[in-house]
Amino acid sequence: MHVLKDICLDVQRGEFVALAGPSGCGKSTLLTLVGGLKSVQDGVLDVLGYRLNGCSPVLLNRLRSKIGMVFQSHHLMEFLTAMQNVQVATEAVIDRSYRAREQRCLELLASVGLRDKANQYPSMLSGGQKQRVAFARALACDPELIVADEPTAALDGKTGREVVMTLQSVAKERSISIVMATHDPRVMEMADRVIAIDDGRLVPHSSAGFR
Amino acid sequence: MLHPFHRSLPLAWLLLTRQPARLITAFVGVAAAGILILMQFGFQEALFNSSISIVSKFDADLVLLSTQSASLTGMAGFPEERLSSVVRSSEVESVMPVRWRYVKWRLPGEVQSRLAIAIGINPFQQVFRDSEIVSQQKLLGDRGRILYDSLSRPEFGPVQKQFEAGKNVVAYVGEHRLFVAGLVRFGPSFGYDSSFLTSIASLNEIFADSAGSIELGVVKLAPGSDPERVVREISPQLPDDVRLMTKSAFESYEKRYWANSKPIGFVFSFCSLMGLAVGAMMVYQLLHMDVTFHLPAYALLMSIGYRRQRLETIVFVEGLILSGLGFPLAWMVSAFLCYLVATYTSLPMVLSMQMVATTFLMILFMCSTSALLAMGKIRDADPADLFQ
């Protein structure tokens, strides 16, 4: 059974693409494929120059280390501080010294406005702050692409938009592309392009029933 | 490869300490396995050392014994004249006869008798190098005198206490009266609980039917002689009923007897393996549960580019941490237990550095193997699940 059909999508460097569509339409499936978390059964998928059809686990790992991922739930490790949660992602990039990685983490936390929360555990942070830490973690490996799955779903509208705005500004600064699944029309407004999926196919955005 | 250990986030430690109750269980499991193994080693070493505790005090280079003797707990006699076959060699300085017999020991007023080892020597020959024995052995010149082993099990009666109180201590071997003339220290073994030194003449009175027969010949060589070469030279000239061994070969022969010919040697090895197996199960259980509990964390790490090999290294390091935590406790507790056992039983319970190092390697192996098995669970971590 094919979950996604006839999808043809090119994302430019530094572009912010919002994926819209009803629940179960295939947004998350597309993100798992783009993120290299699942292999493609049929068709052709090129991400950051890697052809993912029949790609080896080593290559998939290499790809993953170039993609920052943000999930609906923040998925922070509760036993690590904000700083350590970001540090975990930098440790996958083995060609940097410990001190350089540490410095990088502090900069990232500062860029999402949480420099002063570096030593706090997730349980001491608000929902918005946790998601910001998750963004900082996604940015930690110097990604070329950020894949985000409804990162504002668990936040109130205002906080959600602030969080996305922070991510967008950091991404623009570093020419990082963003592919973000979202239901929030105001987040869609912030995107450079909105693509809708319905029943596993790309459809004109207006026909997805959001505007 | 060194990366997970060097200047990086101590993920293994952080994951382990997240659930203190489980960590303590595994820590205690590792320590228990270590204690079990160390104590088995301690007992085994005590068994081996105690079995040769008297022989090791011989002032000898070679030992002559009957070919029928399987161990010191089953010595066969041979004619004393056989010693002359050995003394012919120019490199032999002296050859001294020794009697080695089990006797039934009993104190006056007691009905029950107990088995003890009686060692008969010529009181005017220096068979032992122990100064405590040398200084007292002339007392054995009078018939029926003995030097009693003060490390004997307490069931043999308050001999030491009475002797030190200045009383005349008398004991019976069969119908023969023996008088305690002094105290020496040999220590019990797994083969006997008490021993005493007496003259060959006194023992021959007890075992009149075997007078003229001895159980051991203690040979001292001239300074600079090579014991092994002398054994090679003399052995072909010896009658078939005796054999000559270096003292160290005789000690090894005795230890091998206990290790291979008696079930107790196997029991010790088996108990060590049991400890290892139980410890391995406990550590595996903890690590498996730990990986299961942290599957989302492992999935996340995979999603951000951690290779499976690195995640497996984290689990492996957790195993190493457990061995590092549990072993020192096992060592401390075992050392204390050995002290208690040695105090109560007078057995030479010592934890040598070699035993400690071997046990640590075994614990390391146990934890590593458990970790290798628990690593398989990481396969269940699917980063795609994070999108649901």
Side-chain angles (χ1 to χ4, degrees):
Chain A
M1 182 187 141
H2 290 96
V3 179
L4 299 172
K5 298 150 211 155
D6 305 327
I7 300 270
C8 183
L9 175 64
D10 284 313
V11 179
Q12 300 305 308
R13 193 170 181 83
E15 190 183 15
F16 178 3
V17 176
L19 279 181
S23 296
C25 69
K27 295 192 300 289
S28 295
T29 306
L30 180 61
L31 292 181
T32 55
L33 293 175
V34 172
L37 303 181
K38 272 206 162 98
S39 50
V40 185
Q41 290 170 342
D42 217 350
V44 175
L45 177 61
D46 289 333
V47 180
L48 303 176
Y50 291 89
R51 175 140 302 181
L52 300 190
N53 308 68
C55 183
S56 71
V58 179
L59 226 56
L60 275 180
N61 261 316
R62 205 171 293 166
L63 171 70
R64 283 177 202 164
S65 67
K66 291 181 177 181
I67 298 176
M69 301 208 193
V70 186
F71 311 98
Q72 198 166 336
S73 167
H74 51 80
H75 284 301
L76 296 182
M77 297 190 210
E78 296 292 330
F79 56 98
L80 300 181
T81 62
M83 170 78 169
Q84 289 170 330
N85 266 291
V86 181
Q87 232 175 321
V88 148
T90 64
E91 298 218 359
V93 187
I94 54 172
D95 57 348
R96 285 190 186 175
S97 72
Y98 180 80
R99 192 163 292 281
R101 292 200 305 264
E102 203 175 43
Q103 189 55 39
R104 168 98 180 119
C105 295
L106 283 172
E107 283 169 18
L108 286 169
L109 282 173
S111 70
V112 295
L114 291 176
R115 174 69 183 80
D116 57 329
K117 307 280 183 193
N119 293 320
Q120 298 207 352
Y121 286 90
S123 57
M124 300 155 83
L125 302 174
S126 68
Q129 287 171 332
K130 285 178 193 170
Q131 205 56 290
R132 279 167 198 255
V133 176
F135 283 152
R137 183 181 61 197
L139 292 164
C141 59
D142 281 336
E144 293 174 40
L145 170 67
I146 286 183
V147 171
D149 186 26
E150 301 185 36
T152 60
L155 306 176
D156 63 78
K158 185 170 173 277
T159 312
R161 280 191 301 284
E162 276 174 11
V163 164
V164 174
M165 217 178 288
T166 310
L167 176 68
Q168 193 184 19
S169 79
V170 178
K172 272 273 184 279
E173 226 172 73
R174 299 168 195 219
S175 300
I176 301 169
S177 315
I178 301 175
V179 178
M180 183 185 289
T182 184
H183 285 293
D184 188 339
R186 273 168 291 191
V187 170
M188 287 179 212
E189 277 170 16
M190 295 159 71
D192 299 320
R193 189 153 53 115
V194 179
I195 290 164
I197 301 181
D198 196 11
D199 198 21
R201 293 172 198 277
L202 290 185
V203 293
H205 180 220
S206 53
S207 63
F210 283 95
R211 278 187 182 173
Chain B
M1 193 61 196
L2 278 175
H3 185 68
F5 304 94
H6 179 66
R7 299 280 287 163
S8 74
L9 203 59
L11 271 178
W13 173 250
L14 292 167
L15 287 167
L16 264 183
T17 50
R18 198 179 167 200
Q19 295 168 287
R22 276 192 201 154
L23 174 64
I24 289 169
T25 310
F27 164 66
V28 169
V30 173
I35 292 167
L36 210 55
I37 297 166
L38 276 170
M39 290 306 287
Q40 296 304 325
F41 275 144
F43 280 122
Q44 197 168 30
E45 201 60 15
L47 163 70
F48 292 155
N49 288 339
S50 64
S51 69
I52 57 160
S53 64
I54 299 176
V55 172
S56 65
K57 290 186 176 181
F58 280 166
D59 185 13
D61 297 301
L62 311 178
V63 178
L64 187 72
L65 66 154
S66 164
T67 46
Q68 290 178 35
S69 295
S71 90
L72 286 166
T73 54
M75 294 297 283
F78 60 89
E80 192 173 346
E81 300 89 73
R82 297 286 184 265
L83 298 183
S84 58
S85 316
V86 178
V87 86
R88 279 187 216 123
S89 169
S90 60
E91 290 188 80
V92 171
E93 199 174 84
S94 63
V95 182
M96 296 164 280
V98 172
R99 295 225 65 182
W100 186 285
R101 297 290 299 245
Y102 271 104
V103 294
K104 287 182 177 173
W105 166 281
R106 161 175 79 82
L107 289 181
E110 285 184 355
V111 179
Q112 202 176 25
S113 56
R114 296 170 194 279
L115 282 178
I117 284 285
I119 304 141
I121 60 168
N122 180 337
F124 304 103
Q125 290 179 326
Q126 190 183 321
V127 174
F128 291 93
R129 63 161 65 100
D130 192 324
S131 59
E132 191 182 37
I133 299 171
V134 174
S135 66
Q136 298 183 85
Q137 69 180 54
K138 286 200 175 88
L139 299 170
L140 304 177
D142 293 333
R143 291 282 166 96
R145 298 291 188 275
I146 65 165
L147 299 176
Y148 180 75
D149 177 12
S150 59
L151 299 176
S152 298
R153 296 277 307 143
E155 299 89 84
F156 283 73
V159 177
Q160 181 184 6
K161 203 172 159 189
Q162 288 182 9
F163 181 80
E164 285 174 345
K167 294 180 182 167
N168 283 328
V169 186
V170 178
Y172 286 93
V173 167
E175 297 307 314
H176 296 267
R177 267 156 60 98
L178 298 174
F179 302 91
V180 177
L183 298 173
V184 289
R185 275 180 296 181
F186 288 133
S189 82
F190 285 71
Y192 49 86
D193 294 326
S194 177
S195 58
F196 61 84
L197 202 58
T198 187
S199 66
I200 290 178
S202 297
L203 262 187
N204 283 345
E205 276 184 6
I206 298 169
F207 299 105
D209 55 334
S210 63
S213 172
I214 58 171
E215 281 73 33
L216 286 166
V218 171
V219 184
K220 200 161 165 38
L221 299 179
S225 301
D226 174 7
E228 290 189 9
R229 186 176 51 76
V230 176
V231 167
R232 279 197 302 274
E233 282 173 11
I234 298 179
S235 290
Q237 301 156 30
L238 292 174
D240 291 343
D241 60 349
V242 288
R243 67 178 143 173
L244 191 63
M245 299 170 100
T246 64
K247 188 181 154 195
S248 60
F250 182 57
E251 288 172 350
S252 305
Y253 176 74
E254 182 65 18
K255 285 182 178 181
R256 264 202 310 278
Y257 168 79
W258 284 100
N260 303 328
S261 304
K262 300 293 277 184
I264 196 161
F266 173 77
V267 168
F268 282 132
S269 307
F270 184 74
C271 286
S272 296
L273 288 176
M274 285 288 286
L276 208 62
V278 171
M281 276 190 275
M282 288 182 82
V283 174
Y284 167 73
Q285 197 64 24
L286 169 101
L287 292 178
H288 187 270
M289 283 164 79
D290 187 76
V291 175
T292 307
F293 185 75
H294 290 118
L295 272 182
Y298 285 111
L300 178 83
L301 293 172
M302 285 169 91
S303 78
I304 55 181
Y306 276 65
R307 284 176 299 156
R308 177 169 293 165
Q309 194 188 350
R310 271 207 57 201
L311 301 184
E312 288 171 346
T313 307
I314 292 172
V315 180
F316 191 74
V317 173
E318 285 188 51
L320 296 185
I321 291 172
L322 283 176
S323 58
L325 282 179
F327 184 73
L329 178 71
W331 188 2
M332 278 191 288
V333 173
S334 304
F336 177 67
L337 290 176
C338 279
Y339 168 76
L340 284 185
V341 173
T343 307
Y344 181 69
T345 63
S346 299
L347 284 170
M349 289 281 288
V350 182
L351 292 182
S352 67
M353 279 316 288
Q354 192 191 348
M355 283 153 61
V356 171
T358 307
T359 307
F360 181 62
L361 289 177
M362 287 172 82
I363 293 290
L364 214 54
F365 170 75
M366 175 188 91
C367 291
S368 312
T369 310
S370 306
L372 287 173
L373 292 172
M375 278 175 193
K377 187 67 188 164
I378 289 181
R379 259 178 258 136
D380 292 349
D382 184 359
D385 291 345
L386 300 171
F387 276 102
Q388 286 156 13

